[in-house]
Amino acid sequence: IHLPLSGLEEPLSEMEQAVQDTAHRFAEDVLRPAGVAMDELSAEEAVAADSPLWGVLAQAAGLGLSIKAMLELEPLERERILLIASEELAWGDPGLAGMILTSQMPGLYAALAGKMEMVNYCDGKLGCWGITEPDHGSDMLDPDGSIAAASGNYGRPNCVARIEGDKIIVNGQKSAWVSSSITAEVCALYCHVEENGETRPGVALIVPLDLPGVSKGKPLDKIGLRGLNQGEIYFDNVEVPLSHLLVGPDGYIDFVRHTLAEANVHVANMSVGLSRAAYEHAHAYAHERKQGGVAIINHQSVRSRLFHMFRKVEAARALVRRAATYNATAPEAALQGSIAAKVTATQTSFEVASDALQVF
């Protein structure tokens, strides 16, 4: 039986079908050729003025998937539209799909904070999300220290802000793996705050990256997802208007939790698109490649491998959509559901891509 693009999903609404068709054409006609070209470029060339990246981003803006546009939809409808579109984009090229997603994170997190003025400010600007730090990494995702070792010594944070009157002063740096940082114009910055000479979690704010005192490191030269640039961001007495604050210390821990519940689902969803692409490539090749006088699809071992690839993609998508649907409709988002979806989908993409390679 020939299945639709998103497999065993329930029938799509007219709007969902139109979004899927548009995103799929864009992924096939724009993202895949650009992704192949960018894979051959150095990290510096990939973000240069003549890189295919800029054409991709300009055309992606015409898809109508901005955070501001999505906020006009009901929560469940919005979540489904974003998942359907993002899976297709990641099917095309997960690195470039990651660029499109992470570039919208400042607006997304401003919306989570209920700061519409910042949603409007970020609209149309390329963005990034700066939370992890070179010396602390995932510690930054556990702001209340609930999983910290009892004997652990966190040490001073790499990035600290302090509030002085109507300004927020930021000093320090964020890690070399801040996605889309090199091309970003604004940053959703999550960091510690200094009060009375002591630091604690934390504040979240929108930082324009053209402010005095902001600088960036070199783009990372990576093995995979080469369309998604990553690099450090440095802050040297950067003065940000207090109006750019999304959340202060009293609400910071809950806000990080809410952010992770949202972000993990979307990263998971991109992994579903990657897995599906790998499966489809392998499935098509198995009908073309001959061994033992027949196409290898006729060999039981190949059929078995492809079947398990198919079931893993479907299982990953099902969990991602289930977690996203729950979080879009429940009084409080379930972080454990989002993390389960992310781990399942990313592990699936690793396994399915590896199996696809064996088929080739």
Side-chain angles (χ1 to χ4, degrees):
I1 296 175
H2 179 72
L3 295 175
L5 292 180
S6 46
L8 300 173
E9 278 291 288
E10 62 192 61
L12 305 184
S13 69
E14 187 174 342
M15 178 189 291
E16 291 169 349
Q17 189 64 63
V19 168
Q20 186 182 65
D21 292 343
T22 300
H24 187 79
R25 285 195 301 271
F26 181 78
E28 188 167 35
D29 297 341
V30 179
L31 296 188
R32 284 197 167 175
V36 171
M38 291 185 65
D39 200 51
E40 300 296 326
L41 302 178
S42 69
E44 289 78 12
E45 290 170 335
V47 295
D50 58 350
S51 169
L53 172 66
W54 301 105
V56 168
L57 293 175
Q59 293 178 76
L63 293 174
L65 298 172
S66 70
I67 297 302
K68 190 174 179 180
M70 289 295 101
L71 288 176
E72 297 176 4
L73 305 175
E74 293 298 316
L76 183 56
E77 185 180 27
R78 176 171 67 242
E79 201 71 12
R80 282 185 57 84
I81 289 290
L82 287 172
L83 290 172
I84 290 166
S86 294
E87 180 182 327
E88 297 310 313
L89 299 182
W91 172 90
D93 185 90
L96 291 171
M99 265 295 312
I100 295 168
L101 172 65
T102 57
S103 290
Q104 299 213 59
M105 282 183 166
L108 174 62
Y109 299 158
L112 292 181
K115 302 286 187 177
M116 278 307 301
E117 66 276 16
M118 284 293 101
V119 174
N120 293 330
Y121 176 80
C122 294
D123 189 49
K125 297 181 176 69
L126 297 177
C128 66
W129 175 28
I131 182 168
T132 54
E133 298 177 358
D135 293 333
H136 303 296
S138 297
D139 290 342
M140 297 298 296
L141 310 182
D142 179 39
D144 60 353
S146 61
I147 61 172
S151 59
N153 180 15
Y154 181 86
R156 183 172 175 80
N158 293 114
C159 187
V160 177
R162 66 181 188 276
I163 299 175
E164 295 184 357
D166 62 351
K167 296 178 181 178
I168 307 168
I169 315 298
V170 184
N171 280 284
Q173 76 169 101
K174 285 298 175 177
S175 63
W177 49 91
V178 176
S179 295
S180 69
S181 62
I182 305 300
T183 51
E185 300 166 283
V186 293
C187 175
L189 180 67
Y190 290 45
C191 65
H192 280 64
V193 64
E194 185 174 8
E195 296 176 332
N196 302 318
E198 295 184 355
T199 62
R200 68 177 179 118
V203 291
L205 61 153
I206 300 297
V207 181
L209 296 179
D210 59 354
L211 289 176
V214 175
S215 59
K216 300 177 181 180
K218 293 182 178 180
L220 280 179
D221 188 15
K222 306 185 299 176
I223 294 175
L225 300 183
R226 292 177 63 83
L228 176 63
N229 65 82
Q230 293 174 292
E232 298 103 336
I233 308 178
Y234 300 93
F235 306 92
D236 183 10
N237 284 319
V238 177
E239 297 185 1
V240 184
L242 188 59
S243 60
H244 284 229
L245 184 70
L246 298 182
V247 67
D250 292 342
Y252 181 76
I253 291 174
D254 286 341
F255 189 63
V256 170
R257 182 180 181 85
H258 196 180
T259 300
L260 293 174
E262 184 72 23
N264 274 298
V265 166
H266 291 293
V267 174
N269 186 58
M270 288 198 299
S271 293
V272 174
L274 189 162
S275 305
R276 193 183 108 210
Y279 164 69
E280 290 180 8
H281 279 308
H283 186 270
Y285 181 72
H287 287 78
E288 299 167 5
R289 165 71 170 160
K290 289 185 177 180
Q291 188 67 35
V294 296
I296 62 173
I297 189 68
N298 293 298
H299 292 292
Q300 187 178 24
S301 61
V302 175
R303 282 179 176 262
S304 176
R305 189 186 298 275
L306 288 167
F307 168 75
H308 287 294
M309 293 164 70
F310 164 76
R311 101 179 146 74
K312 288 178 181 181
V313 173
E314 290 296 326
R317 182 191 295 109
L319 181 55
V320 170
R321 300 286 174 94
R322 184 177 177 88
T325 298
Y326 179 89
N327 287 348
T329 55
E332 183 178 357
L335 178 56
Q336 68 270 45
S338 297
I339 293 176
K342 179 177 182 290
V343 171
T344 299
T346 52
Q347 183 65 24
T348 293
S349 66
F350 180 85
E351 293 172 0
V352 172
S354 179
D355 281 341
L357 188 62
Q358 303 312 312
V359 173
F360 276 87

